[in-house]
Amino acid sequence: MKAALVLFAERGYDGTTVPMIAESAKVGAGTIYRYFANKESLVNGLFQHCVQVFSDTLKYEAIHSTPDIREQFHYIFQRLVKFADNNVNALLFIESHNSAYYLDDRSKQVFDELLGTFRQVLENGKKVGVIKEFNTDALIAIVYGSFVLLFKLIKSGVLTETPDLLEGVEESCWNAIRIL
Amino acid sequence: MKAALVLFAERGYDGTTVPMIAESAKVGAGTIYRYFANKESLVNGLFQHCVQVFSDTLKYEAIHSTPDIREQFHYIFQRLVKFADNNVNALLFIESHNSAYYLDDRSKQVFDELLGTFRQVLENGKKVGVIKEFNTDALIAIVYGSFVLLFKLIKSGVLTETPDLLEGVEESCWNAIRIL
Amino acid sequence: MKAALVLFAERGYDGTTVPMIAESAKVGAGTIYRYFANKESLVNGLFQHCVQVFSDTLKYEAIHSTPDIREQFHYIFQRLVKFADNNVNALLFIESHNSAYYLDDRSKQVFDELLGTFRQVLENGKKVGVIKEFNTDALIAIVYGSFVLLFKLIKSGVLTETPDLLEGVEESCWNAIRIL
Amino acid sequence: MKAALVLFAERGYDGTTVPMIAESAKVGAGTIYRYFANKESLVNGLFQHCVQVFSDTLKYEAIHSTPDIREQFHYIFQRLVKFADNNVNALLFIESHNSAYYLDDRSKQVFDELLGTFRQVLENGKKVGVIKEFNTDALIAIVYGSFVLLFKLIKSGVLTETPDLLEGVEESCWNAIRIL
DNA sequence: CATGAATGAGCTTTCATTCAT
DNA sequence: CATGAATGAAAGCTCATTCAT
């Protein structure tokens, strides 16, 4: 799955062949079929796993350790960064595959749940009157879209990940969605 | 090329077959090869064309009709929206294919020039002291990342494009990059 | 037909495309189909034409102007050389295509007639007691096989055609088939 | 390779399709590509193999067991016959493909080495004063050309291979190149 | 009468998948 | 349980042939 993730993230599902994955994983091509019914099962399994890890990373109790929404946002952003740091490929794989024709219902559902988590955080912020009253999905687009492209650029070497960079982006995202 | 664009945007390069394109374009599969040496030539030609149209759309003289940077940002955002409205598929195609393994040097160069245009606008804003001093590519990530995901969600039906929505996102993006 | 001959001789029937012939002949591909029903008609027509020219070249009355069989052989060899000189490609085309799967009955018949001419000359020689009593087709293999390979080597540049060379080969061929 | 040899010998390279070879070899078409990168690799590999077998067949120590050049010629001719008997298709395949556009450098080189062996034998005969002083390649054309056409006719059924036939052709070839 | 754009059958080649080892 | 050789369906691509111009 690790090998598949890297390849899917870099070359896409259809651009990755099973023998490629096998070679990269240093197993025989047939071995893959002992764990997954077919290539589609593999992407779906992998997708669901990645989304799960993403969800788990976000579910950080400490978020609620403070009543300050800005600080909560900081915690969440920190978790996003943590996930991206440890799983850039997973992040990009999820982003580039989340509406693919080969995803099954379970994958779509799991992804929707992840979106739900995002939405919840923002809606809560709105309720408390710190985040501006605006279409939640649009707010997600702003924060998550920025975040994904940021790490795409970091991965490709255009940008270098530094505390200053991350802090700056976090501040920008916050300014984008907060009430001014 | 229109047929190829839609399919590439929706299924990716490797997920799109030449017969699919041919059928969608209502021509014989062989006909495609009278205009493109091979499938790779087709994506590259298409990519370059889309980037060109994008560049052209951005080159809007009116931008400089006002000294007000906020208003300039508005014009630019408006142009982005115009391009997205007329060419959603082109926008998403560019975003999902811009670092693909099958792009040739010309494609990469053309895309870099587009990035250059983006950078220029932001750097200018910084010079005038309205946009915050921050890594230009990071600022691009924020605005362009937001913008792309916004239209991805609009295209998928999650969001509905309305003047209010666009205005809100524009305001958010502006708040993200301006000096507060 | 000239263009087709060169290409067929050099690349074979299946290795030559109709557009290749058209380009080499500086006509449109469609034009060829105004003169030949299809590619197969073209090879067959060409083959028959070449064999005809070959036959005509051999039918040299002067052959019978002398009762001396060695001299007659000289005349025939001279005619072979004449044909090869003026139509190397035709010679090689005939040799490499004479038992091809796409030749029609007429082509086979015409080629058999050419063989008949060869046989007649040799049988006559045997009757007069100058050429050795041996399977006629074997004698043809010896003289014609030598001759064809000779010109193949000349065409490819391995050998250079000179009066001495031709005289020597003629003498050798004569020694091969005459009664010693 | 056996299946390919027969088909290439009978229909030529371009007239033979990979599925034809696969069917004849009773394997799947894809299987061929596990052993050869492509069709061109296949012809080249086959060509080199055939030439190798031919070379090996000629390298018969017994040749030097007698100082008599006529007897040596007999041995060589015998080896040619042996090769032709066991590999008619290889003989004809080599002859009809030896200057084809799809042969790579290695193939050309290997074939040149075979020619070198032929040349050596004849040059040696000249040195000893038994074979006539004449362009070596022309002598090859005579003997080898005769030989190839002989077996082409045998294969096609025009001639029947008998000891008498072979003996007669050998004698004729000898007479063609010896000093009279 | 000449043309060459268009076509689709069929070629070369790839690759997800199977299965004997 | 792991493997990778074998497979054939389907991909990318070519080219003989047609036909509107």
Side-chain angles (χ1 to χ4, degrees), chain D residues 55-82:
Chain D
S55 283
D56 291 349
T57 309
L58 292 180
K59 275 168 202 149
Y60 183 43
E61 296 311 312
I63 291 173
H64 305 292
S65 65
T66 169
D68 186 68
I69 292 283
R70 175 63 186 87
E71 208 163 330
Q72 279 186 19
F73 181 79
H74 172 67
Y75 278 130
I76 290 167
F77 198 87
Q78 216 173 229
R79 302 310 286 175
L80 285 175
V81 169
K82 190 192 168 194

PDB file of all heavy atoms in Angstrom, chain D residues 55-82:
ATOM      1  N   SER D  55      27.062 -20.187 -39.458  1.00  0.00           N
ATOM      2  CA  SER D  55      28.509 -20.085 -39.233  1.00  0.00           C
ATOM      3  C   SER D  55      29.038 -21.353 -38.568  1.00  0.00           C
ATOM      4  O   SER D  55      30.049 -21.923 -38.984  1.00  0.00           O
ATOM      5  CB  SER D  55      28.820 -18.891 -38.328  1.00  0.00           C
ATOM      6  OG  SER D  55      28.738 -17.703 -39.071  1.00  0.00           O
ATOM      7  N   ASP D  56      28.328 -21.767 -37.524  1.00  0.00           N
ATOM      8  CA  ASP D  56      28.779 -22.957 -36.788  1.00  0.00           C
ATOM      9  C   ASP D  56      28.809 -24.180 -37.688  1.00  0.00           C
ATOM     10  O   ASP D  56      29.727 -24.999 -37.616  1.00  0.00           O
ATOM     11  CB  ASP D  56      27.851 -23.212 -35.590  1.00  0.00           C
ATOM     12  CG  ASP D  56      28.014 -22.131 -34.526  1.00  0.00           C
ATOM     13  OD1 ASP D  56      28.968 -21.336 -34.637  1.00  0.00           O
ATOM     14  OD2 ASP D  56      27.190 -22.087 -33.603  1.00  0.00           O
ATOM     15  N   THR D  57      27.790 -24.301 -38.528  1.00  0.00           N
ATOM     16  CA  THR D  57      27.723 -25.460 -39.420  1.00  0.00           C
ATOM     17  C   THR D  57      28.929 -25.489 -40.357  1.00  0.00           C
ATOM     18  O   THR D  57      29.462 -26.556 -40.688  1.00  0.00           O
ATOM     19  CB  THR D  57      26.432 -25.416 -40.256  1.00  0.00           C
ATOM     20  OG1 THR D  57      25.325 -25.231 -39.387  1.00  0.00           O
ATOM     21  CG2 THR D  57      26.252 -26.716 -41.031  1.00  0.00           C
ATOM     22  N   LEU D  58      29.356 -24.291 -40.770  1.00  0.00           N
ATOM     23  CA  LEU D  58      30.470 -24.228 -41.714  1.00  0.00           C
ATOM     24  C   LEU D  58      31.813 -24.560 -41.062  1.00  0.00           C
ATOM     25  O   LEU D  58      32.737 -25.042 -41.718  1.00  0.00           O
ATOM     26  CB  LEU D  58      30.538 -22.830 -42.341  1.00  0.00           C
ATOM     27  CG  LEU D  58      29.395 -22.470 -43.270  1.00  0.00           C
ATOM     28  CD1 LEU D  58      29.573 -21.075 -43.821  1.00  0.00           C
ATOM     29  CD2 LEU D  58      29.303 -23.480 -44.416  1.00  0.00           C
ATOM     30  N   LYS D  59      31.892 -24.270 -39.769  1.00  0.00           N
ATOM     31  CA  LYS D  59      33.172 -24.494 -39.078  1.00  0.00           C
ATOM     32  C   LYS D  59      33.361 -25.974 -38.781  1.00  0.00           C
ATOM     33  O   LYS D  59      33.192 -26.451 -37.666  1.00  0.00           O
ATOM     34  CB  LYS D  59      33.207 -23.675 -37.792  1.00  0.00           C
ATOM     35  CG  LYS D  59      33.676 -22.251 -38.053  1.00  0.00           C
ATOM     36  CD  LYS D  59      33.442 -21.366 -36.841  1.00  0.00           C
ATOM     37  CE  LYS D  59      33.375 -19.898 -37.232  1.00  0.00           C
ATOM     38  NZ  LYS D  59      32.480 -19.137 -36.349  1.00  0.00           N
ATOM     39  N   TYR D  60      33.703 -26.679 -39.837  1.00  0.00           N
ATOM     40  CA  TYR D  60      33.826 -28.131 -39.734  1.00  0.00           C
ATOM     41  C   TYR D  60      35.302 -28.472 -39.828  1.00  0.00           C
ATOM     42  O   TYR D  60      35.944 -28.250 -40.855  1.00  0.00           O
ATOM     43  CB  TYR D  60      33.041 -28.751 -40.886  1.00  0.00           C
ATOM     44  CG  TYR D  60      33.003 -30.245 -40.905  1.00  0.00           C
ATOM     45  CD1 TYR D  60      32.785 -30.988 -39.723  1.00  0.00           C
ATOM     46  CD2 TYR D  60      33.182 -30.933 -42.102  1.00  0.00           C
ATOM     47  CE1 TYR D  60      32.744 -32.368 -39.764  1.00  0.00           C
ATOM     48  CE2 TYR D  60      33.130 -32.317 -42.134  1.00  0.00           C
ATOM     49  CZ  TYR D  60      32.923 -33.028 -40.961  1.00  0.00           C
ATOM     50  OH  TYR D  60      32.873 -34.396 -41.005  1.00  0.00           O
ATOM     51  N   GLU D  61      35.828 -28.981 -38.742  1.00  0.00           N
ATOM     52  CA  GLU D  61      37.270 -29.254 -38.688  1.00  0.00           C
ATOM     53  C   GLU D  61      37.746 -30.125 -39.854  1.00  0.00           C
ATOM     54  O   GLU D  61      38.808 -29.904 -40.425  1.00  0.00           O
ATOM     55  CB  GLU D  61      37.618 -29.930 -37.358  1.00  0.00           C
ATOM     56  CG  GLU D  61      37.359 -29.036 -36.161  1.00  0.00           C
ATOM     57  CD  GLU D  61      37.955 -27.643 -36.348  1.00  0.00           C
ATOM     58  OE1 GLU D  61      39.123 -27.549 -36.733  1.00  0.00           O
ATOM     59  OE2 GLU D  61      37.226 -26.645 -36.112  1.00  0.00           O
ATOM     60  N   ALA D  62      36.916 -31.115 -40.225  1.00  0.00           N
ATOM     61  CA  ALA D  62      37.325 -32.080 -41.259  1.00  0.00           C
ATOM     62  C   ALA D  62      37.781 -31.411 -42.557  1.00  0.00           C
ATOM     63  O   ALA D  62      38.489 -32.008 -43.363  1.00  0.00           O
ATOM     64  CB  ALA D  62      36.175 -33.037 -41.546  1.00  0.00           C
ATOM     65  N   ILE D  63      37.327 -30.147 -42.716  1.00  0.00           N
ATOM     66  CA  ILE D  63      37.720 -29.435 -43.927  1.00  0.00           C
ATOM     67  C   ILE D  63      39.234 -29.471 -44.114  1.00  0.00           C
ATOM     68  O   ILE D  63      39.732 -29.668 -45.211  1.00  0.00           O
ATOM     69  CB  ILE D  63      37.239 -27.949 -43.868  1.00  0.00           C
ATOM     70  CG1 ILE D  63      35.727 -27.907 -43.957  1.00  0.00           C
ATOM     71  CG2 ILE D  63      37.882 -27.139 -44.982  1.00  0.00           C
ATOM     72  CD1 ILE D  63      35.122 -26.533 -43.734  1.00  0.00           C
ATOM     73  N   HIS D  64      39.921 -29.310 -43.008  1.00  0.00           N
ATOM     74  CA  HIS D  64      41.374 -29.233 -43.112  1.00  0.00           C
ATOM     75  C   HIS D  64      42.046 -30.597 -43.020  1.00  0.00           C
ATOM     76  O   HIS D  64      43.259 -30.683 -42.929  1.00  0.00           O
ATOM     77  CB  HIS D  64      41.908 -28.303 -42.037  1.00  0.00           C
ATOM     78  CG  HIS D  64      41.247 -26.971 -42.109  1.00  0.00           C
ATOM     79  ND1 HIS D  64      41.452 -26.111 -43.161  1.00  0.00           N
ATOM     80  CD2 HIS D  64      40.341 -26.368 -41.296  1.00  0.00           C
ATOM     81  CE1 HIS D  64      40.710 -25.031 -42.978  1.00  0.00           C
ATOM     82  NE2 HIS D  64      40.027 -25.166 -41.858  1.00  0.00           N
ATOM     83  N   SER D  65      41.246 -31.659 -43.057  1.00  0.00           N
ATOM     84  CA  SER D  65      41.812 -33.003 -42.932  1.00  0.00           C
ATOM     85  C   SER D  65      42.461 -33.459 -44.231  1.00  0.00           C
ATOM     86  O   SER D  65      43.141 -34.473 -44.285  1.00  0.00           O
ATOM     87  CB  SER D  65      40.705 -33.995 -42.532  1.00  0.00           C
ATOM     88  OG  SER D  65      39.754 -34.073 -43.577  1.00  0.00           O
ATOM     89  N   THR D  66      42.225 -32.708 -45.289  1.00  0.00           N
ATOM     90  CA  THR D  66      42.831 -33.080 -46.561  1.00  0.00           C
ATOM     91  C   THR D  66      43.485 -31.861 -47.216  1.00  0.00           C
ATOM     92  O   THR D  66      42.967 -30.753 -47.103  1.00  0.00           O
ATOM     93  CB  THR D  66      41.768 -33.666 -47.522  1.00  0.00           C
ATOM     94  OG1 THR D  66      42.343 -33.761 -48.822  1.00  0.00           O
ATOM     95  CG2 THR D  66      40.538 -32.790 -47.587  1.00  0.00           C
ATOM     96  N   PRO D  67      44.570 -32.056 -47.878  1.00  0.00           N
ATOM     97  CA  PRO D  67      45.239 -30.926 -48.519  1.00  0.00           C
ATOM     98  C   PRO D  67      44.620 -30.658 -49.898  1.00  0.00           C
ATOM     99  O   PRO D  67      44.831 -29.604 -50.487  1.00  0.00           O
ATOM    100  CB  PRO D  67      46.689 -31.403 -48.663  1.00  0.00           C
ATOM    101  CG  PRO D  67      46.574 -32.902 -48.739  1.00  0.00           C
ATOM    102  CD  PRO D  67      45.321 -33.327 -48.030  1.00  0.00           C
ATOM    103  N   ASP D  68      43.814 -31.562 -50.363  1.00  0.00           N
ATOM    104  CA  ASP D  68      43.219 -31.425 -51.683  1.00  0.00           C
ATOM    105  C   ASP D  68      42.093 -30.400 -51.671  1.00  0.00           C
ATOM    106  O   ASP D  68      41.096 -30.563 -50.962  1.00  0.00           O
ATOM    107  CB  ASP D  68      42.676 -32.798 -52.131  1.00  0.00           C
ATOM    108  CG  ASP D  68      42.179 -32.754 -53.559  1.00  0.00           C
ATOM    109  OD1 ASP D  68      43.011 -32.599 -54.466  1.00  0.00           O
ATOM    110  OD2 ASP D  68      40.940 -32.824 -53.751  1.00  0.00           O
ATOM    111  N   ILE D  69      42.262 -29.332 -52.453  1.00  0.00           N
ATOM    112  CA  ILE D  69      41.287 -28.239 -52.421  1.00  0.00           C
ATOM    113  C   ILE D  69      39.927 -28.690 -52.964  1.00  0.00           C
ATOM    114  O   ILE D  69      38.880 -28.293 -52.457  1.00  0.00           O
ATOM    115  CB  ILE D  69      41.801 -27.023 -53.235  1.00  0.00           C
ATOM    116  CG1 ILE D  69      42.998 -26.394 -52.529  1.00  0.00           C
ATOM    117  CG2 ILE D  69      40.715 -25.988 -53.412  1.00  0.00           C
ATOM    118  CD1 ILE D  69      42.653 -25.547 -51.334  1.00  0.00           C
ATOM    119  N   ARG D  70      39.929 -29.520 -53.959  1.00  0.00           N
ATOM    120  CA  ARG D  70      38.660 -30.014 -54.489  1.00  0.00           C
ATOM    121  C   ARG D  70      37.891 -30.759 -53.401  1.00  0.00           C
ATOM    122  O   ARG D  70      36.684 -30.583 -53.241  1.00  0.00           O
ATOM    123  CB  ARG D  70      38.904 -30.959 -55.680  1.00  0.00           C
ATOM    124  CG  ARG D  70      37.640 -31.633 -56.254  1.00  0.00           C
ATOM    125  CD  ARG D  70      36.684 -30.575 -56.807  1.00  0.00           C
ATOM    126  NE  ARG D  70      35.391 -31.121 -57.238  1.00  0.00           N
ATOM    127  CZ  ARG D  70      34.346 -31.299 -56.452  1.00  0.00           C
ATOM    128  NH1 ARG D  70      34.440 -30.996 -55.169  1.00  0.00           N
ATOM    129  NH2 ARG D  70      33.199 -31.759 -56.926  1.00  0.00           N
ATOM    130  N   GLU D  71      38.646 -31.547 -52.651  1.00  0.00           N
ATOM    131  CA  GLU D  71      38.008 -32.310 -51.583  1.00  0.00           C
ATOM    132  C   GLU D  71      37.509 -31.349 -50.488  1.00  0.00           C
ATOM    133  O   GLU D  71      36.453 -31.536 -49.898  1.00  0.00           O
ATOM    134  CB  GLU D  71      39.005 -33.318 -51.009  1.00  0.00           C
ATOM    135  CG  GLU D  71      38.314 -34.547 -50.422  1.00  0.00           C
ATOM    136  CD  GLU D  71      39.313 -35.718 -50.252  1.00  0.00           C
ATOM    137  OE1 GLU D  71      40.272 -35.790 -51.053  1.00  0.00           O
ATOM    138  OE2 GLU D  71      39.109 -36.511 -49.325  1.00  0.00           O
ATOM    139  N   GLN D  72      38.311 -30.287 -50.236  1.00  0.00           N
ATOM    140  CA  GLN D  72      37.892 -29.286 -49.250  1.00  0.00           C
ATOM    141  C   GLN D  72      36.601 -28.619 -49.705  1.00  0.00           C
ATOM    142  O   GLN D  72      35.677 -28.406 -48.918  1.00  0.00           O
ATOM    143  CB  GLN D  72      38.984 -28.221 -49.071  1.00  0.00           C
ATOM    144  CG  GLN D  72      40.104 -28.644 -48.143  1.00  0.00           C
ATOM    145  CD  GLN D  72      41.082 -27.506 -47.873  1.00  0.00           C
ATOM    146  OE1 GLN D  72      40.773 -26.332 -48.084  1.00  0.00           O
ATOM    147  NE2 GLN D  72      42.269 -27.865 -47.405  1.00  0.00           N
ATOM    148  N   PHE D  73      36.530 -28.328 -50.994  1.00  0.00           N
ATOM    149  CA  PHE D  73      35.314 -27.713 -51.532  1.00  0.00           C
ATOM    150  C   PHE D  73      34.126 -28.652 -51.325  1.00  0.00           C
ATOM    151  O   PHE D  73      33.030 -28.223 -50.991  1.00  0.00           O
ATOM    152  CB  PHE D  73      35.488 -27.412 -53.025  1.00  0.00           C
ATOM    153  CG  PHE D  73      34.287 -26.751 -53.658  1.00  0.00           C
ATOM    154  CD1 PHE D  73      34.052 -25.396 -53.492  1.00  0.00           C
ATOM    155  CD2 PHE D  73      33.362 -27.497 -54.406  1.00  0.00           C
ATOM    156  CE1 PHE D  73      32.940 -24.787 -54.059  1.00  0.00           C
ATOM    157  CE2 PHE D  73      32.245 -26.893 -54.968  1.00  0.00           C
ATOM    158  CZ  PHE D  73      32.043 -25.536 -54.803  1.00  0.00           C
ATOM    159  N   HIS D  74      34.417 -29.941 -51.506  1.00  0.00           N
ATOM    160  CA  HIS D  74      33.364 -30.928 -51.301  1.00  0.00           C
ATOM    161  C   HIS D  74      32.840 -30.870 -49.864  1.00  0.00           C
ATOM    162  O   HIS D  74      31.634 -30.897 -49.622  1.00  0.00           O
ATOM    163  CB  HIS D  74      33.880 -32.334 -51.599  1.00  0.00           C
ATOM    164  CG  HIS D  74      32.902 -33.406 -51.225  1.00  0.00           C
ATOM    165  ND1 HIS D  74      31.685 -33.572 -51.868  1.00  0.00           N
ATOM    166  CD2 HIS D  74      32.929 -34.366 -50.248  1.00  0.00           C
ATOM    167  CE1 HIS D  74      31.019 -34.573 -51.312  1.00  0.00           C
ATOM    168  NE2 HIS D  74      31.742 -35.076 -50.327  1.00  0.00           N
ATOM    169  N   TYR D  75      33.779 -30.795 -48.928  1.00  0.00           N
ATOM    170  CA  TYR D  75      33.371 -30.725 -47.526  1.00  0.00           C
ATOM    171  C   TYR D  75      32.500 -29.490 -47.276  1.00  0.00           C
ATOM    172  O   TYR D  75      31.470 -29.552 -46.622  1.00  0.00           O
ATOM    173  CB  TYR D  75      34.594 -30.691 -46.614  1.00  0.00           C
ATOM    174  CG  TYR D  75      35.172 -32.064 -46.362  1.00  0.00           C
ATOM    175  CD1 TYR D  75      36.531 -32.306 -46.528  1.00  0.00           C
ATOM    176  CD2 TYR D  75      34.353 -33.121 -45.948  1.00  0.00           C
ATOM    177  CE1 TYR D  75      37.065 -33.567 -46.294  1.00  0.00           C
ATOM    178  CE2 TYR D  75      34.882 -34.377 -45.722  1.00  0.00           C
ATOM    179  CZ  TYR D  75      36.238 -34.600 -45.884  1.00  0.00           C
ATOM    180  OH  TYR D  75      36.760 -35.846 -45.660  1.00  0.00           O
ATOM    181  N   ILE D  76      32.967 -28.363 -47.775  1.00  0.00           N
ATOM    182  CA  ILE D  76      32.221 -27.119 -47.554  1.00  0.00           C
ATOM    183  C   ILE D  76      30.829 -27.200 -48.176  1.00  0.00           C
ATOM    184  O   ILE D  76      29.829 -26.862 -47.552  1.00  0.00           O
ATOM    185  CB  ILE D  76      32.992 -25.914 -48.145  1.00  0.00           C
ATOM    186  CG1 ILE D  76      34.240 -25.663 -47.312  1.00  0.00           C
ATOM    187  CG2 ILE D  76      32.114 -24.673 -48.203  1.00  0.00           C
ATOM    188  CD1 ILE D  76      35.223 -24.732 -47.966  1.00  0.00           C
ATOM    189  N   PHE D  77      30.794 -27.683 -49.398  1.00  0.00           N
ATOM    190  CA  PHE D  77      29.506 -27.807 -50.068  1.00  0.00           C
ATOM    191  C   PHE D  77      28.582 -28.730 -49.271  1.00  0.00           C
ATOM    192  O   PHE D  77      27.396 -28.457 -49.117  1.00  0.00           O
ATOM    193  CB  PHE D  77      29.692 -28.345 -51.492  1.00  0.00           C
ATOM    194  CG  PHE D  77      28.513 -28.107 -52.387  1.00  0.00           C
ATOM    195  CD1 PHE D  77      28.393 -26.920 -53.102  1.00  0.00           C
ATOM    196  CD2 PHE D  77      27.498 -29.060 -52.511  1.00  0.00           C
ATOM    197  CE1 PHE D  77      27.298 -26.679 -53.915  1.00  0.00           C
ATOM    198  CE2 PHE D  77      26.393 -28.824 -53.317  1.00  0.00           C
ATOM    199  CZ  PHE D  77      26.301 -27.630 -54.024  1.00  0.00           C
ATOM    200  N   GLN D  78      29.189 -29.771 -48.752  1.00  0.00           N
ATOM    201  CA  GLN D  78      28.447 -30.727 -47.919  1.00  0.00           C
ATOM    202  C   GLN D  78      27.867 -30.029 -46.703  1.00  0.00           C
ATOM    203  O   GLN D  78      26.742 -30.296 -46.280  1.00  0.00           O
ATOM    204  CB  GLN D  78      29.432 -31.799 -47.464  1.00  0.00           C
ATOM    205  CG  GLN D  78      28.837 -33.181 -47.374  1.00  0.00           C
ATOM    206  CD  GLN D  78      29.950 -34.190 -47.078  1.00  0.00           C
ATOM    207  OE1 GLN D  78      30.062 -35.212 -47.732  1.00  0.00           O
ATOM    208  NE2 GLN D  78      30.789 -33.892 -46.092  1.00  0.00           N
ATOM    209  N   ARG D  79      28.650 -29.128 -46.112  1.00  0.00           N
ATOM    210  CA  ARG D  79      28.170 -28.397 -44.936  1.00  0.00           C
ATOM    211  C   ARG D  79      27.028 -27.449 -45.315  1.00  0.00           C
ATOM    212  O   ARG D  79      26.052 -27.331 -44.578  1.00  0.00           O
ATOM    213  CB  ARG D  79      29.298 -27.564 -44.309  1.00  0.00           C
ATOM    214  CG  ARG D  79      30.530 -28.327 -43.879  1.00  0.00           C
ATOM    215  CD  ARG D  79      30.243 -29.526 -43.040  1.00  0.00           C
ATOM    216  NE  ARG D  79      29.860 -29.188 -41.678  1.00  0.00           N
ATOM    217  CZ  ARG D  79      29.473 -30.076 -40.776  1.00  0.00           C
ATOM    218  NH1 ARG D  79      29.356 -31.364 -41.095  1.00  0.00           N
ATOM    219  NH2 ARG D  79      29.134 -29.705 -39.565  1.00  0.00           N
ATOM    220  N   LEU D  80      27.181 -26.814 -46.460  1.00  0.00           N
ATOM    221  CA  LEU D  80      26.100 -25.936 -46.924  1.00  0.00           C
ATOM    222  C   LEU D  80      24.826 -26.758 -47.069  1.00  0.00           C
ATOM    223  O   LEU D  80      23.749 -26.353 -46.622  1.00  0.00           O
ATOM    224  CB  LEU D  80      26.463 -25.313 -48.284  1.00  0.00           C
ATOM    225  CG  LEU D  80      27.496 -24.194 -48.311  1.00  0.00           C
ATOM    226  CD1 LEU D  80      27.812 -23.784 -49.749  1.00  0.00           C
ATOM    227  CD2 LEU D  80      26.971 -22.980 -47.539  1.00  0.00           C
ATOM    228  N   VAL D  81      24.976 -27.915 -47.688  1.00  0.00           N
ATOM    229  CA  VAL D  81      23.819 -28.795 -47.895  1.00  0.00           C
ATOM    230  C   VAL D  81      23.238 -29.222 -46.558  1.00  0.00           C
ATOM    231  O   VAL D  81      22.022 -29.216 -46.366  1.00  0.00           O
ATOM    232  CB  VAL D  81      24.209 -30.028 -48.731  1.00  0.00           C
ATOM    233  CG1 VAL D  81      23.084 -31.050 -48.713  1.00  0.00           C
ATOM    234  CG2 VAL D  81      24.539 -29.617 -50.157  1.00  0.00           C
ATOM    235  N   LYS D  82      24.127 -29.530 -45.621  1.00  0.00           N
ATOM    236  CA  LYS D  82      23.657 -29.966 -44.311  1.00  0.00           C
ATOM    237  C   LYS D  82      22.805 -28.855 -43.683  1.00  0.00           C
ATOM    238  O   LYS D  82      21.715 -29.097 -43.164  1.00  0.00           O
ATOM    239  CB  LYS D  82      24.844 -30.290 -43.404  1.00  0.00           C
ATOM    240  CG  LYS D  82      24.411 -30.984 -42.123  1.00  0.00           C
ATOM    241  CD  LYS D  82      25.524 -31.045 -41.092  1.00  0.00           C
ATOM    242  CE  LYS D  82      24.921 -31.486 -39.742  1.00  0.00           C
ATOM    243  NZ  LYS D  82      25.845 -31.248 -38.647  1.00  0.00           N
TER     244      LYS D  82
END
